[in-house]
């Protein structure tokens, strides 16, 4: 009798655990060194901090950090198919900063971002897209900087995606929140970036 009860408990527990895992959703952060956590450990980068916040809120989400330092939108478009071998429920697109820093043609940046979104939606029709807004320094000229900044809200509106107005809000330009290069957030900076992201994610989770 005891063995039968034990077997029943084990089987029941297995199905409960399986159901729980099936309900787990996936968020992919697809970006460059900002997402990858340049100069820090993966655990200190904002995607991992977002996952911690979700767990603390009893949200069953797995977060995948698909950031690659130095990545441009063209590079992202070329590697997105590999990333999409796994299912995704929320796709956070954080690319374009390196395009801007290199002064690459804005039309090409816009085209590449759209190409990435098209591929994500084709593979996962019900995916929720989040676009991380970026800015570039004015040394490339005020017209280029202004037009660059417009790309992200335009792409978000066109694709009915959720927009993070500026990923580095309250971080960019603050030496206390950035590493020595003045570009990449430090540990405290990533904590603020995680807060910026969570403020937007709460509306779609």
């Amino acid at each position: 009798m005891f063995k039968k009860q034990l077997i029943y408990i084990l089987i029941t527990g297995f199905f409960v655990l399986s159901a729980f895992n099936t309900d787990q959703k996936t968020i992919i952060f697809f970006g460059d060194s900002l997402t990858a956590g340049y100069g820090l450990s993966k655990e200190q980068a904002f995607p991992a901090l977002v996952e911690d916040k979700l767990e603390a809120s009893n949200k069953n989400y797995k977060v995948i950090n698909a950031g690659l330092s130095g990545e441009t939108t063209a590079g992202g478009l070329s590697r997105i198919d590999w990333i999409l071998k796994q299912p995704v429920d929320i796709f956070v697109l954080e690319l374009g900063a390196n395009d801007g820093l290199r002064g690459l043609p804005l039309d090409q940046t816009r085209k590449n971002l759209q190409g990435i979104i098209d591929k994500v939606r084709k593979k996962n029709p019900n995916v929720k897209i989040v676009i991380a807004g970026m800015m570039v320094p004015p040394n490339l000229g005020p017209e280029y900087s202004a037009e660059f900044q417009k790309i992200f809200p335009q792409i978000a509106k066109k694709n009915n995606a959720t927009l993070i107005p500026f990923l580095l809000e309250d971080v960019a330009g603050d030496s206390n929140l950035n590493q020595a290069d003045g570009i990449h957030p430090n540990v405290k900076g990533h904590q603020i970036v995680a807060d910026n992201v969570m403020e937007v994610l709460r509306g779609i989770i």
Side-chain angles (χ1 to χ4, degrees):
M1 181 67 177
F2 175 76
K3 288 184 178 180
K4 289 184 179 180
Q5 289 178 333
L6 180 60
I7 291 172
Y8 174 78
I9 291 171
L10 289 173
I11 292 175
T12 304
F14 172 77
F15 282 116
V16 170
L17 181 61
S18 297
F20 177 80
N21 289 336
T22 300
D23 290 339
Q24 188 178 57
K25 295 184 178 181
T26 300
I27 302 175
I28 293 179
F29 286 88
F30 188 70
D32 50 35
S33 57
L34 295 175
T35 292
Y38 175 86
L40 307 177
S41 68
K42 278 286 181 81
E43 291 73 26
Q44 294 172 319
F46 76 84
L49 301 179
V50 168
E51 185 172 45
D52 291 342
K53 291 176 182 294
L54 290 170
E55 288 180 358
S57 301
N58 295 318
K59 302 293 185 182
N60 190 18
Y61 280 87
K62 175 177 69 174
V63 170
I64 296 174
N65 186 333
L68 181 64
S69 292
E71 186 78 294
T72 61
T73 57
L77 182 59
S78 68
R79 75 179 173 105
I80 187 61
D81 290 329
W82 182 80
I83 298 297
L84 292 177
K85 290 182 179 180
Q86 56 201 325
V88 54
D89 298 284
I90 298 177
F91 184 84
V92 183
L93 179 54
E94 181 276 304
L95 280 176
N98 288 318
D99 294 45
L101 292 174
R102 298 178 188 184
L104 298 180
L106 298 177
D107 286 345
Q108 194 63 43
T109 296
R110 187 179 289 104
K111 181 180 178 182
N112 291 336
L113 290 172
Q114 186 60 54
I116 292 170
I117 293 171
D118 290 344
K119 287 192 173 188
V120 173
R121 279 238 167 96
K122 183 177 181 180
K123 188 72 179 291
N124 303 274
N126 296 320
V127 69
K128 295 177 181 178
I129 304 286
V130 178
I131 307 294
M134 296 303 302
M135 300 181 186
V136 291
N139 60 302
L140 294 168
E143 183 178 349
Y144 183 93
S145 299
E147 290 303 313
F148 176 86
Q149 187 176 344
K150 291 178 183 178
I151 289 176
F152 304 95
Q154 290 171 349
I155 287 286
K157 182 177 181 180
K158 178 180 179 180
N159 293 278
N160 194 28
T162 301
L163 176 69
I164 301 172
F166 181 38
L167 182 69
L168 300 179
E169 186 71 36
D170 298 326
V171 176
D174 189 333
S175 59
N176 294 317
L177 299 173
N178 287 277
Q179 299 177 48
D181 61 13
I183 297 175
H184 296 94
N186 57 23
V187 173
K188 290 183 178 179
H190 270 273
Q191 291 170 355
I192 294 175
V193 173
D195 289 338
N196 293 341
V197 174
M198 277 301 301
E199 186 174 344
V200 170
L201 287 182
R202 287 190 187 98
I204 62 175
I205 288 177

